[in-house]
């Protein structure tokens, strides 16, 4: 009986370890030392004597971000790259602003679940499960919606006024892969014969999409 309990406990702990997001911290603080030049899973810790309140502060979400792209939305992150004190804490935020008609295109966060709180406006939001089911809803100011970790999701402002949300993540750096940009603007590029086969389109259509999505030269 004891052996069976031990086996179940081992399996439970193994599964818990696999589904957890960022690793748990092993000390009070591990402020990111991004200048260390050492590659680890996260960032090495800053010397505690050099830690200040500035390592835990960021004011970059107070105002709407400037939107100057073709999709009509912009994401302003408040993650470990902006707030070094988030290192090892397993949490971050972002603000997303949308023009009327603006879209946060289909994308995934490979390292985090996302939860949004609507600050202003109305949005059509949704995610797609691995069984190809769309879970979608219209949300308005004060509403909350959750996008499970790793699933493709989107937000679209179908209103005639700007909209904005605050997004929370259970990772200090959730990562973002925009589906279209990932496939059509990667370096080196995904071979055309892969894209034509996957999307059942010709090479001219592939080239047209690549040109549309290519970063604008300043």
């Amino acid at each position: 009986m004891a052996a069976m309990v031990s086996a179940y406990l081992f399996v439970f702990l193994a599964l818990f370890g696999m589904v957890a997001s960022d690793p748990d911290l092993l000390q009070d603080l591990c402020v990111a030392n991004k200048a260390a030049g050492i590659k680890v899973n996260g960032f090495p810790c800053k010397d505690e004597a050099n830690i200040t309140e500035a390592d835990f502060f960021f004011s970059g979400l107070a105002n709407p971000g400037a939107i100057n792209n073709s999709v009509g939305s912009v994401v302003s992150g408040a993650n470990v790259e902006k707030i070094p004190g988030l290192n090892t804490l397993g949490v971050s935020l972002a603000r997303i602003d949308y023009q009327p008609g603006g879209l946060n295109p289909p994308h995934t966060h490979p390292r985090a679940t996302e939860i949004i709180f609507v600050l202003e406006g109305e949005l059509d939001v949704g995610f797609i499960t691995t069984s190809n089911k769309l879970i979608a809803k219209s949300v308005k100011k004060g509403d909350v919606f959750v996008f499970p970790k790793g699933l493709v999701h989107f937000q679209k402002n179908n209103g005639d006024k700007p909209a904005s949300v605050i997004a929370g993540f259970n990772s200090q750096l959730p990562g973002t892969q925009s589906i279209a940009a990932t496939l059509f603007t990667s370096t080196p590029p995904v071979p055309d014969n892969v894209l034509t086969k996957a999307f059942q389109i010709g090479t001219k259509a592939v080239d047209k999409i690549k040109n549309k999505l290519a970063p604008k030269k300043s």
Side-chain angles (χ1 to χ4, degrees), residues 180 183-185 190-214:
L183 290 171
F184 289 93
T185 67
V190 176
D192 283 359
N193 60 2
V194 172
L195 297 173
T196 56
K197 189 78 169 180
F199 291 96
Q200 297 294 291
I201 57 177
T203 53
K204 288 185 177 180
V206 169
D207 290 340
K208 186 174 181 180
I209 294 171
K210 285 182 176 181
N211 290 334
K212 286 272 190 183
L213 295 177

Side-chain angles (χ1 to χ4, degrees), residues 107-114 148-151 153 169 174-177:
H107 62 281
T108 72
H109 301 295
R111 297 186 288 273
T113 291
E114 176 181 3
K149 178 180 177 178
L151 296 186
H153 60 282
F169 303 92
T176 300
Q177 281 194 303

Side-chain angles (χ1 to χ4, degrees), residues 18-61:
M18 288 190 296
V19 301
S21 189
D22 292 0
D24 286 338
L25 65 164
L26 299 176
Q27 61 278 313
D28 289 344
L29 306 171
C30 179
V31 173
N33 182 0
K34 292 182 284 185
I38 302 170
K39 292 288 187 181
V40 296
N41 187 23
F43 294 94
C45 302
K46 196 182 208 181
D47 190 309
E48 192 166 337
N50 298 324
I51 294 173
T52 71
E53 69 280 356
D55 293 316
F56 300 89
F57 177 78
F58 181 64
S59 61
L61 304 188

Side-chain angles (χ1 to χ4, degrees), residues 103-108 126 128 151-155 176-182:
L103 170 72
N104 190 11
H107 62 281
T108 72
I128 300 141
L151 296 186
V152 175
H153 60 282
F154 61 88
Q155 303 107 29
T176 300
Q177 281 194 303
S178 180
I179 305 305
T182 296

